[in-house]
Amino acid sequence: MSIVLVEGESDAVAIRTLARRLALPEPRVLPVGGSKGARRAAGELNGQRLVGLVDAAERRDFERVLMTVFVCDPDLEAEFIRALGVEGVEAVIAGQGELVSFRRLQSQPFQRAQPIDRQLARFFGGRSGNKVRYAGLLAEAVPLESIPAPLASLLASL
């Protein structure tokens, strides 16, 4: 069985949620605490079949120590935003009763000039626990035929 190395807990939640929705066995997913943790984790798991999921900016840290790496461009949240579309993501936010909060963020002077994908990224990263919580919610909401390519390919490789 493969072990999936990921940067953080939000990646792990998304993978586990999608695997469950696809009726796959729950994969062993190990958050390594940021891309620099991949080397340490790979060393500790020597001899195991390891694959990784990483954000584009950190791909080299994973590629130095893993043979198979799936890359989110630029990150997990952006992959889900593209897959669901802005309206779909806003529907998920609304379902959590937080659309007013997101609209408040959008009206802030610096945020007004930002593209909506950056506003959404700021919203997901702005509160403690939001990235993990929304990773699961977005993974639940994405249609199975629209799972982002890096996640679909990773799950298929398991």
Side-chain angles (χ1 to χ4, degrees):
M1 176 181 220
S2 298
I3 300 172
V4 182
L5 301 184
V6 296
E7 292 179 79
E9 190 60 39
S10 61
D11 305 296
V13 167
I15 292 167
R16 288 183 190 119
T17 300
L18 291 170
R20 179 186 48 73
R21 288 187 63 212
L22 292 166
L24 298 172
E26 183 171 320
R28 184 167 170 206
V29 185
L30 178 63
V32 298
S35 65
K36 302 295 186 209
R39 179 176 300 281
R40 175 194 45 76
E44 291 172 2
L45 298 166
N46 192 22
Q48 303 280 340
R49 181 175 183 269
L50 304 175
V51 299
L53 179 74
V54 68
D55 295 344
E58 285 77 41
R59 75 184 300 161
R60 289 194 193 342
D61 293 334
F62 272 50
E63 289 174 340
R64 285 184 182 117
V65 296
L66 301 175
M67 295 292 291
T68 306
V69 178
F70 300 92
V71 180
C72 294
D73 185 20
D75 56 27
L76 179 71
E77 295 79 18
E79 293 285 353
F80 280 124
I81 292 167
R82 279 193 300 277
L84 285 163
V86 170
E87 287 180 9
V89 174
E90 286 183 344
V92 171
I93 293 169
Q96 296 300 299
E98 295 188 323
L99 194 56
V100 170
S101 178
F102 177 59
R103 296 289 184 238
R104 249 192 322 271
L105 178 136
Q106 287 182 299
S107 70
Q108 294 174 355
F110 177 76
Q111 293 296 330
R112 281 185 224 139
Q114 298 298 316
I116 193 153
D117 59 325
R118 287 211 183 130
Q119 293 170 341
L120 287 165
R122 176 71 178 113
F123 177 77
F124 295 139
R127 283 191 202 136
S128 178
N130 245 16
K131 281 184 84 164
V132 172
R133 183 165 61 100
Y134 275 98
L137 293 168
L138 296 172
E140 283 288 349
V142 71
L144 292 179
E145 65 275 5
S146 299
I147 293 173
L151 292 160
S153 296
L154 177 130
L155 291 165
S157 79
L158 301 177

